Amino acid sequence: MKNSSANKWQDAYFGSAYLEIYSEHLYEKNKIAAETDFIIKTLKLNKTTRLLDIACGFGKHLLFFFKRAVPAFGLDINRSYLQFAMRKFPASHAKKSPLVQGTMTRLPFQDGAFDAAISLFNSFGYYPLDCPDADLTTLKEVSRALKSGGRFFLEIPNKQPVVRMACENPQTLQCGLEFAIHEIWEYDKTQNLLHNKTTFNVRGKTTQAGYCLRLYTKGELAALFKKAGLSVVGVYGDYNGAPYSRSASPYLILIGKKETSRWKKKT
Ligand SMILES: C[S@@+](CC[C@H](N)C(=O)[O-])C[C@H]1O[C@@H](n2cnc3c(N)ncnc32)[C@H](O)[C@@H]1O
């Protein structure tokens, strides 16, 4: 797939510095394993259910699904991250091509190809993407790619704490011996967009990039799910299954179920 100009910010932000920092220095194996187990339990996944990880990045959850024998496929726009992920799998599994390059706004899969789909860790709400109604388009694509009754697990940052952080503490710094991430946050209330400017430093080499994320309340996201043919069947505030709190939860996790009637063919 060729990169269009719409992919430029992704290329800049999701480059080698992000990959090295998040796959090595900020990689929390136990946390990712626990997240994977919560998803498996919540979506009732097993060795016969086909799962799609949308914007799977460098495959940090995919590896755990593989270890738990859940057939999981990954889609991401970034070819080098997919190549990185592929190298983590045994060759026999990698040969089955479970990873596909593409955009979430046009999923390269047949209708009803999956029993379940997930989108995790700031992978939804990017703006501008490659079409004006990117988020609704993405949800419609997810719905199309799911079987009737199939489930979608979407985790996004919880709006209220994020806006509070951006207003009260607009500069954040995470660092270790070999890396630093300096981030500047700005919340645009009129457009409901979170702007991020990041300076990555890896062993003295600095790169700058950023992104813009549309933030959603539970009600706004549920309305978008409905438009896409997904009914909300679960809401959580974290990966322990805690009830969602608008002011305090780290995440907003919505579970959507593909409505059966919407995509049924007329006979
Ligand atoms: C913050 S990362 C999260 C990756 C992964 N879900 C995780 O938990 O580590 C967001 C990912 O979204 C991907 N991405 C951005 N825009 C995309 C698009 N339009 N279609 C597919 N993937 C996209 C990026 O390449 C990146 O890997």
Side-chain angles (χ1 to χ4, degrees):
M1 201 183 95
K2 283 183 191 141
N3 280 346
S4 69
S5 59
N7 296 348
K8 282 210 168 120
W9 75 265
Q10 284 109 321
D11 293 343
Y13 188 82
F14 296 112
S16 58
Y18 175 100
L19 179 63
E20 181 171 335
I21 291 172
Y22 283 94
S23 68
E24 285 181 28
H25 307 296
L26 294 178
Y27 183 77
E28 296 174 89
K29 192 177 170 189
N30 293 341
K31 181 171 179 276
I32 300 160
E35 290 173 358
T36 306
D37 288 337
F38 179 69
I39 294 166
I40 290 174
K41 191 174 91 180
T42 311
L43 299 183
K44 299 186 176 64
L45 302 175
N46 57 50
K47 60 180 191 300
T48 67
T49 46
R50 280 165 63 97
L51 171 73
L52 175 63
D53 183 351
I54 296 166
C56 63
F58 56 87
K60 70 183 196 216
H61 293 92
L62 284 176
L63 196 61
F64 286 90
F65 286 114
F66 171 73
K67 286 180 179 167
R68 309 286 195 267
V70 171
F73 298 76
L75 171 120
D76 202 280
I77 208 163
N78 188 317
R79 187 190 293 272
S80 62
Y81 283 14
L82 295 175
Q83 285 166 342
F84 179 94
M86 203 68 104
R87 288 195 291 272
K88 299 270 173 194
F89 291 117
S92 56
H93 183 67
K95 260 192 232 147
K96 293 180 195 155
S97 296
L99 303 182
V100 178
Q101 187 188 18
T103 176
M104 59 180 112
T105 52
R106 227 171 85 195
L107 295 175
F109 303 104
Q110 289 183 348
D111 298 3
F114 296 96
D115 298 283
I118 57 176
S119 173
L120 315 173
F121 194 55
N122 284 6
S123 298
F124 182 83
Y126 287 129
Y127 180 90
L129 254 174
D130 44 6
C131 67
D133 292 318
D135 296 341
L136 180 58
T137 307
T138 296
L139 290 176
K140 284 183 176 169
E141 277 294 273
V142 172
S143 185
R144 182 188 62 72
L146 284 174
K147 289 180 182 153
S148 277
R151 312 259 163 152
F152 179 45
F153 182 114
L154 175 61
E155 174 243 290
I156 60 169
N158 189 18
K159 180 174 175 176
Q160 223 180 74
V162 168
V163 170
R164 204 163 52 227
M165 179 272 298
C167 298
E168 291 172 6
N169 189 22
Q171 296 209 33
T172 54
L173 179 68
Q174 295 184 80
C175 45
L177 285 177
E178 296 189 327
F179 80 96
I181 307 178
H182 177 232
E183 292 179 272
I184 301 175
W185 305 91
E186 197 183 323
Y187 176 58
D188 173 353
K189 195 175 172 183
T190 48
Q191 294 202 72
N192 193 24
L193 295 174
L194 180 73
H195 294 276
N196 170 287
K197 279 188 200 149
T198 298
T199 305
F200 295 107
N201 188 300
V202 182
R203 289 185 303 280
K205 190 181 168 213
T206 294
T207 44
Q208 286 182 322
Y211 61 85
C212 180
L213 204 66
R214 192 185 293 280
L215 297 176
Y216 286 97
T217 63
K218 185 176 86 172
E220 288 164 351
L221 197 57
L224 218 57
F225 267 45
K226 196 168 174 210
K227 274 192 190 166
L230 298 163
S231 49
V232 175
V233 293
V235 185
Y236 301 100
D238 64 23
Y239 283 86
N240 294 314
Y244 172 69
S245 154
R246 198 162 48 131
S247 61
S249 293
Y251 310 113
L252 167 59
I253 295 173
L254 234 56
I255 317 290
K257 180 179 170 197
K258 178 170 175 175
E259 290 161 10
T260 41
S261 56
R262 189 179 173 95
W263 303 101
K264 225 184 200 169
K265 280 188 187 147
K266 283 188 187 139
T267 46

